[in-house]
Amino acid sequence: MPIESVREGGTLIAKAEARIDGANAKAFQDDLESVIEREDHAVILDLENLFYISSAGLRVILLTAKALQRQETEFAVCGLSDSVKEIFQISGFDKIIPMHPTVHDAKNAL
Amino acid sequence: MTERPNRILVVDDEPDVQPLFSQRMRRDIRAGRLELLFAGNGVEALEVLNRDPDIDMVVTDINMPQMDGLTLLEHIPKIDSDIRAIIISAYGDMKNIRTAMNRGAFDFVTKPLDFDDLRVTIDRTLNHLKEWREALASRDKLVALQNELDIAHHMQQSILPTQFAKGNDWEIFASMEPARNVGGDFYDVVPLEDGHVGIAIADVSDKGVPSALFMMSTRTMLKGAAIGLLDPGDVLKEVNALLQEGNDTGMFVTVFYGVYNSNTGELTYANAGHNPPLIVRPDGSSVLLPMTGGIALGVIPEFDFSENTVKLEPGDTAFLYTDGVTEAARSDEDFFGLERLRDIFAETPPKSPKEANDVTFAAVHAFVGNLPQTDDITCLALTRSEKTP
C-alpha cells in the first residue's frame, strides 16, 4: 500500500502507519523514495499512527535523512508516540533528526 | 567418511615456535584433529600455501624478514579466499591489529602467547570455517533468500563465545537465541589487564548477509579497540569512526560497552544507542543504568561518548539485553516490555548470571507462546558474588 502523503507548498508531509519492521521496511523505503521529489524543500514524516519501529525501520529513516541532507532538503519527524519516541531517544536518533509534537509544530520549525 | 585433520600453517621467524607449538598442540595432533605446518616468513608461507591446497588456516606473526604478516594477509585470499588467518600481535598494538583486521584477518591473539586462549581462538575459527563451508555447499540447493539467511545465521553463531572469563568474586554468562531470519545481535567478553574485563552487547540494524558482515567487522573492531584502549567512551568512539568509513548502507549498530574493575567492583560504561542495562540487587529490585546520551555506531562520523560509573555491590548483577527481549511480542501491540522483565527479577532474584539468563528466556518463551520468534534474543549478565571466597 503506497504511503499517504500531501504536499503543502514545497513541503511534503508523509504518513507512516502501524509498524515498520524487518518485514515491511524495504517496501516503506521504496514508497518513501517514490513520493519524495528533488524539488521538495522539506519533508515531514508524520508518525502519529505508528506504534512500533524496529531497527530496520530506523535504518530506512536514517537513509532518508542522509539522502535529504545531500539534496539539501530539510527533514523532521512528528507525532511520535511515547514508545516510538523512546526508541528514537535510546538509539540517539533524536540527535540527528528533529522531532516535533505535531505536523503544525514541525512546519513552524522549518 | 572420516574427517581429515584440520591443517594449520604457523608462520613465525622465531626458531622455538615450531617445537613449542608441536608440544602444546600434541594431543590434538596425536588424536588426528590437527596437523601443523611451519614457515619462517611470508615468502615461505606463500610457497607452502601454493603447494598444499588443504590448508585451512594460518596463524601468523607480524614482524618477520622478507615478507611480514600484514603483507602475507593480502596474498592469502588470492590463493584461497576460504583460508582464515589469525595474527599474533604485540599486546595493545592497535595499529597493526587494525590493519590486519582491515586486510581480512579473522581474529588475533596477543603476545606473550597464552596457549589456552590460542586453542579457543583456533577452535572458534575452525568451527566458523566448517559452518561457512557447509553454508556455501548448501548454497546451490536453496532458494537465494533462505540461503543468504542461513549463511548469515552461521556467521553470527560462529563468532559468539560460549566460555567466559571469571574471577574470584565475579562471573559472566551470556547466550543468544537467534531468530529464524537472523537479526544481527552479538555479545563479547574481553579479558583486560589488572583484573578488568570488558563486556559488550550489540544489535545490528536489519538482517541478512550484509548485516552479518557488518556485525563481524563491528565485533573485531570492538575487540581490537577494547584491548588497545581502556576507556569505554574511547572504544566506542574509535569503532564508530572505523565503521563510518565507506558506510553508505545506512546500517548501524547499537552497542553497550562496559569495563568491570574487579578490584573495586566498579562498572564504567558508555552506551551507543543500546537499551540501558539493569542492575539487579540481591533482593530482586532493579535500577536502569543511567543513559549517557550516546548514539548508535555508524550513524554520524564523529561522536564523543560520555561515560558513567556505577558500583556493583556483592550480590548485584549487571544485566545486558537486546530489544529481542523487551520487544518480544504476542500480538501487534503487546510487547514483553521492560517492566515485565523487572517483575521477573523481583519474583526470582537471580543468584548467578546463568540464572538471570535462564529466568529471562523462560519468561519470554512463556509470554510469546508458540508464535515465531522475529528477532534475536540476547542476554549477558555479570554477577558480583555475595561472598568472596
Side-chain angles (χ1 to χ4, degrees), chain A residues 18-19 21-26 29 51-60 62-63 66 70 83 86-96, chain B residues 203-207 244 247-252 254 272-276 291 293-296 298-300 303 323 327 329 331-333 335 375:
Chain A
R19 54 187 290 145
D21 55 23
N24 66 359
K26 182 75 180 78
Q29 182 178 356
F51 58 79
Y52 176 70
I53 184 162
S54 77
S55 61
L58 285 180
R59 182 175 158 230
V60 174
L62 177 62
L63 280 170
K66 285 187 169 173
R70 278 196 294 275
S83 58
E86 194 181 75
I87 291 171
F88 271 71
Q89 285 166 342
I90 288 176
S91 61
F93 273 51
D94 60 332
K95 292 184 181 60
I96 53 158
Chain B
D203 185 356
V204 176
S205 59
D206 223 339
K207 59 193 179 193
Q244 196 67 35
N247 174 21
D248 49 7
T249 59
M251 244 181 284
F252 61 91
T254 68
H274 198 82
N275 302 54
M291 304 271 286
I295 185 166
V299 174
I300 48 175
F303 193 81
D323 58 10
E327 289 171 15
S331 76
D332 263 4
E333 291 181 65
F335 298 112
D375 199 359

Side-chain angles (χ1 to χ4, degrees), chain B residues 58-258:
Chain B
V58 173
V59 178
T60 181
D61 192 19
I62 292 184
N63 296 316
M64 293 177 296
Q66 290 191 67
M67 183 193 285
D68 66 20
L70 296 176
T71 311
L72 173 63
L73 280 177
E74 288 191 311
H75 289 287
I76 290 175
K78 294 178 206 157
I79 295 172
D80 182 351
S81 60
D82 280 353
I83 295 173
R84 295 292 182 267
I86 293 178
I87 58 151
I88 305 170
S89 86
Y91 193 89
D93 182 4
M94 264 308 291
K95 191 167 167 286
N96 277 329
I97 290 173
R98 198 187 308 149
T99 306
M101 290 299 170
N102 289 342
R103 291 183 185 179
F106 180 75
D107 211 331
F108 60 90
V109 291
T110 54
K111 287 179 188 169
L113 268 185
D114 170 349
F115 271 85
D116 289 336
D117 180 47
L118 179 65
R119 172 168 293 109
V120 168
T121 308
I122 286 176
D123 282 350
R124 195 164 67 203
T125 308
L126 290 172
N127 205 23
H128 161 86
L129 195 58
K130 184 163 169 262
E131 307 234 336
W132 170 259
R133 283 178 176 150
E134 282 169 6
L136 286 182
S138 59
R139 179 138 122 181
D140 303 334
K141 300 175 202 154
L142 294 161
V143 293
L145 179 66
Q146 189 51 46
N147 168 44
E148 276 215 354
L149 293 175
D150 275 7
I151 295 174
H153 184 92
H154 288 301
M155 284 164 74
Q156 182 184 23
Q157 287 293 316
S158 58
I159 68 164
L160 295 174
T162 48
Q163 289 171 352
F164 306 103
K166 64 181 288 185
N168 280 338
D169 66 341
W170 57 274
E171 55 177 324
I172 292 173
F173 189 83
S175 53
M176 182 191 70
E177 278 190 2
R180 257 190 63 123
N181 44 5
V182 188
D185 286 6
F186 76 91
Y187 57 78
D188 210 352
V189 176
V190 188
L192 302 169
E193 286 178 314
D194 302 328
H196 291 67
V197 60
I199 50 174
I201 193 161
D203 185 356
V204 176
S205 59
D206 223 339
K207 59 193 179 193
V209 168
S211 64
L213 288 168
F214 198 77
M215 174 188 60
M216 301 272 285
S217 42
T218 307
R219 173 251 168 194
T220 37
M221 287 170 188
L222 186 72
K223 191 178 173 195
I227 286 177
L229 305 160
L230 199 57
D231 291 336
D234 293 345
V235 169
L236 293 184
K237 184 187 165 103
E238 166 111 4
V239 178
N240 184 51
L242 291 168
L243 282 177
Q244 196 67 35
E245 283 171 25
N247 174 21
D248 49 7
T249 59
M251 244 181 284
F252 61 91
V253 53
T254 68
V255 182
F256 175 92
Y257 178 64

